[in-house]
Amino acid sequence: DEERRRRLARAGLRAFLQMLLVHNFVHADLHPGNILCTFVPGLRGEQITLTFIDAGLTVELSERDRLNFVRLFAALAHGDGRRAGALMLEHAREADCDEPGVFMDKIDALVQQSHASRRGEFTLSRLDVGKVLLDVLSAVRDHRVMIEANYTTLVTSICILEGLGRQLDPDLDLFTLALPILAKQAVSDLLRR
């Protein structure tokens, strides 16, 4: 039923964000055949358990890259495209960017365009996450900013999950679920220092 599909979409996104932002481990082949879903009756209603199988293709970022990705994700979530562009330049493996300001403006324009079209909502029905991420990768290529190869694998994983999430719940708001996890992880990162 529709409510079960919505709950399943939220559980899947939450699990992916936990893997990425908290555990720094991403299953990079999360198509529907690699996700087992169990629905178990419980005291507080039906509980959903997800099991990810066939973890032969995975991504783990270095601590530096993980922290940078969390900062980048936070900048995107808050609509700060210039900050996102600056972080990409600052943490690039190699940057042969002739015009860093133009690059940051391009990233900012992409972020603002996606924010304006959604009027503050990050739902799968209104935002084509895959297209935005591919446009960011095009900007990175065009301006010769060498990002970690693992980032492109993350983009691929996110694109696959976006399609699955859109089928289950097109009204799922990505950043509403992501921001609490980001905030909790930011506090955890500060306490570890």
Side-chain angles (χ1 to χ4, degrees):
D1 75 10
E2 194 170 321
E3 180 55 31
R4 183 184 258 191
R5 292 166 63 96
R6 282 191 181 118
R7 288 182 29 249
L8 182 57
R10 283 187 207 100
L13 178 58
R14 217 175 277 114
F16 180 77
L17 292 170
Q18 282 287 128
M19 273 194 298
L20 174 60
L21 300 174
V22 177
H23 302 294
N24 189 25
F25 175 85
V26 176
H27 189 304
D29 191 22
L30 278 180
H31 58 78
N34 284 341
I35 305 171
L36 302 178
C37 306
T38 307
F39 300 91
V40 180
L43 294 174
R44 294 191 276 174
E46 185 179 67
Q47 302 297 309
I48 298 173
T49 302
L50 299 176
T51 304
F52 302 124
I53 62 171
D54 190 16
L57 183 57
T58 61
V59 171
E60 185 175 355
L61 300 175
S62 69
E63 183 62 13
R64 175 186 176 270
D65 290 335
R66 188 192 69 76
L67 288 172
N68 182 43
F69 186 81
V70 168
R71 288 183 193 115
L72 176 62
F73 194 86
L76 294 171
H78 288 100
D80 191 349
R82 281 197 66 76
R83 171 93 175 119
L87 285 167
M88 289 176 170
L89 287 169
E90 181 182 332
H91 295 286
R93 280 189 306 147
E94 189 179 310
D96 190 23
C97 183
D98 294 335
E99 300 174 292
V102 173
F103 173 74
M104 290 187 296
D105 288 344
K106 186 178 261 185
I107 298 300
D108 188 47
L110 288 169
V111 170
Q112 296 312 315
Q113 178 184 15
S114 63
H115 272 260
S117 68
R118 289 174 277 99
R119 297 181 199 140
E121 294 181 20
F122 292 88
T123 61
L124 292 174
S125 63
R126 295 187 178 145
L127 173 64
D128 187 343
V129 176
K131 181 180 180 338
V132 171
L133 291 173
L134 292 174
D135 287 347
V136 167
L137 289 179
S138 291
V140 163
R141 181 196 65 230
D142 293 346
H143 290 274
R144 297 186 307 260
V145 178
M146 300 289 293
I147 60 172
E148 284 298 318
N150 285 340
Y151 281 10
T152 56
T153 305
L154 288 175
V155 168
T156 303
S157 295
I158 291 168
C159 290
I160 292 168
L161 284 176
E162 175 192 18
L164 182 58
R166 184 173 279 121
Q167 289 174 5
L168 292 170
D169 182 8
D171 295 326
L172 179 65
D173 189 323
L174 304 175
F175 289 121
T176 296
L177 285 176
L179 287 174
I181 295 170
L182 270 173
K184 184 177 178 182
Q185 189 57 40
V187 169
S188 176
D189 288 343
L190 283 172
L191 292 175
R192 277 198 306 228
R193 289 181 184 178

